[in-house]
Amino acid sequence: MKTVFIFLTLCLTQFVHGIKITHGPYICDMDSTTATILWITDKPGISWVEIAEEADDHFYTKERIRIYDVKRGRRQVNDTVHRVRIKGLKPDTKYRYRIFSKELTEWRNHDWVTYGRTASSVVYRREPYRFKTFPTQARNLSFLVLNDIHERAEYLEELCRGIEPDKLDFVVLNGDMSHSVENQEHIFKAYMDTCVSLFAKSTPVFLNRGNHETRGKFADKLWDYFPTQTDEFYHLKHIAGVDFLFLDSGEDKPDSDTEYNETKAFDEYREHEAEWLKALKDDNAVGQHPLIVFCHIPPTLGTWHGYHHIEQQFLPTLNRMNVTAMLSGHLHRHVHQEANEKVKFPILVNSHLSYLLCRVADGHLEIECSEPGGKNRKHFSFPLK
């Protein structure tokens, strides 16, 4: 009898609680007219975002537009990772949003589905979430670069203390935010829950994959949490008169290294990426605006295979581009390499202890590098090309 009572209690508790939002929301892959809002629930369900332009009225003044999580013509109803891509936004415009997930309780056959309770962010007890799209015209920009946190979530919070997220246009996670990628909870515990609490609900975050993000049994799923319009980790963003190039540097050792247990093929991957990079140049997709490059492993600054292959595959094209600077990590120390005969642009490597607070203004990329509390503060200035 006691066992039956416990079983019934657990069933009732499960019913009463229903679906829950466990992580997020956060904004990724944003530009002037589109944005992706992503969050996680503990059970699968159908999800949507309600959105409205910023105004003096209350969010509940009228019914708001619903945008669903849709993939290839089908609303996604059987997933716990919810990615809502919002299109047709106005450039340089403030928006309010609210998220919803309705639990999938039964899928009998074909498309005969039954839904249960709905979880959502609330706006009657607190303000809705907000974000602002990027402008199409050139203007001053501010962005933050973090790298090589390696799952030190508490240090990440300490590092960002004092930074005003409302004054940032975006944040770049420039690789090795974790040691590896073992499961979904690992991603959020290692750094993303902290990012959400600090800035990511309103300030878009771009993940530029490092070599440690290529490791682990869940590494193949990482893109699902940081989607891009290219369907790859490498991509190009145009933001307020500046082009931002995100390069995926891959692993640092040969693919045949025994540590990888036959799981890597990064030489071939970088060769395809190099073809994509060359096409950007040949098709004049870059060259009209200043170009800032993110690449976790800096070419020419190490002796392992990855450095040499990046140099071989990427540098010939990058040297023909109008690169203002490359921002890198990986070395766990600061390096500032000025432009030279081999590399026609400066490379700034950030350590694992500091951030790069970057500002594009008055024809320059100004960078403040600092550890928590202003310790070991440095300043760099690069003229925009």
Side-chain angles (χ1 to χ4, degrees), residues 196-257:
V196 169
S197 68
L198 292 173
F199 52 78
K201 291 186 183 75
S202 299
T203 303
V205 57
F206 303 130
L207 176 75
N208 199 40
R209 187 167 67 163
N211 58 302
H212 277 268
E213 276 99 11
T214 72
R215 303 173 186 179
K217 58 186 177 183
F218 204 70
D220 294 328
K221 299 290 186 180
L222 184 63
W223 184 91
D224 292 343
Y225 300 83
F226 301 96
T228 65
Q229 294 184 58
T230 63
D231 287 340
E232 298 286 358
F233 284 104
Y234 54 84
H235 58 107
L236 178 70
K237 282 284 182 189
H238 180 76
I239 303 173
V242 179
D243 286 334
F244 294 91
L245 179 61
F246 296 81
L247 292 178
D248 188 353
S249 53
E251 268 290 7
D252 53 4
K253 293 179 282 296
D255 292 334
S256 59
D257 191 277

Side-chain angles (χ1 to χ4, degrees), residues 11-232:
C11 291
L12 181 60
T13 302
Q14 187 83 347
F15 174 78
V16 169
H17 286 307
I19 192 170
K20 291 182 180 179
I21 298 168
T22 56
H23 304 286
Y26 57 95
I27 300 171
C28 55
D29 198 31
M30 194 176 85
D31 54 34
S32 297
T33 58
T34 62
T36 298
I37 298 174
L38 196 148
W39 69 96
I40 312 297
T41 54
D42 63 343
K43 300 175 183 178
I46 186 170
S47 291
W48 67 92
V49 169
E50 289 185 357
I51 191 166
E53 284 189 44
E54 188 65 272
D56 294 332
D57 64 335
H58 193 275
F59 198 85
Y60 281 142
T61 298
K62 59 183 178 181
E63 188 172 355
R64 302 301 183 180
I65 298 172
R66 286 188 177 189
I67 302 103
Y68 285 85
D69 179 5
V70 177
K71 184 182 295 183
R72 300 179 185 92
R74 287 175 59 88
R75 290 179 179 172
Q76 300 300 289
V77 303
N78 197 23
D79 200 349
T80 60
V81 184
H82 312 284
R83 294 170 293 269
V84 176
R85 183 72 177 161
I86 305 171
K87 302 177 182 179
L89 300 173
K90 297 178 182 178
D92 202 20
T93 301
K94 294 180 180 179
Y95 286 92
R96 300 167 285 173
Y97 73 96
R98 184 183 179 196
I99 61 173
F100 294 80
S101 292
K102 184 187 292 185
E103 180 184 353
L104 171 67
T105 58
E106 186 180 18
W107 194 322
R108 297 180 189 175
N109 52 60
H110 299 291
D111 287 333
W112 188 269
V113 296
T114 304
Y115 297 109
R117 294 192 169 198
T118 301
S120 69
S121 55
V122 297
V123 295
Y124 52 87
R125 286 189 286 119
R126 64 186 67 174
E127 290 293 308
Y129 303 128
R130 287 176 164 83
F131 68 90
K132 185 179 181 181
T133 52
F134 298 136
T136 54
Q137 302 299 317
R139 67 155 169 79
N140 293 349
L141 277 173
S142 293
F143 60 96
L144 180 69
V145 182
L146 304 163
N147 56 270
D148 296 281
I149 295 299
H150 284 285
E151 306 183 16
R152 295 171 296 149
E154 291 183 1
Y155 187 82
L156 174 60
E157 186 170 6
E158 181 184 2
L159 181 63
C160 293
R161 188 173 294 126
I163 292 176
E164 301 177 83
D166 292 345
K167 295 184 178 180
L168 297 173
D169 289 286
F170 59 92
V171 176
V172 176
L173 308 180
N174 203 14
D176 286 7
M177 298 299 291
S178 59
H179 299 313
S180 60
V181 190
E182 301 302 332
N183 51 54
Q184 176 179 274
E185 286 300 312
H186 191 190
I187 297 170
F188 287 93
K189 183 178 180 180
Y191 58 96
M192 271 313 297
D193 279 343
T194 302
C195 290
V196 169
S197 68
L198 292 173
F199 52 78
K201 291 186 183 75
S202 299
T203 303
V205 57
F206 303 130
L207 176 75
N208 199 40
R209 187 167 67 163
N211 58 302
H212 277 268
E213 276 99 11
T214 72
R215 303 173 186 179
K217 58 186 177 183
F218 204 70
D220 294 328
K221 299 290 186 180
L222 184 63
W223 184 91
D224 292 343
Y225 300 83
F226 301 96
T228 65
Q229 294 184 58
T230 63
D231 287 340
E232 298 286 358

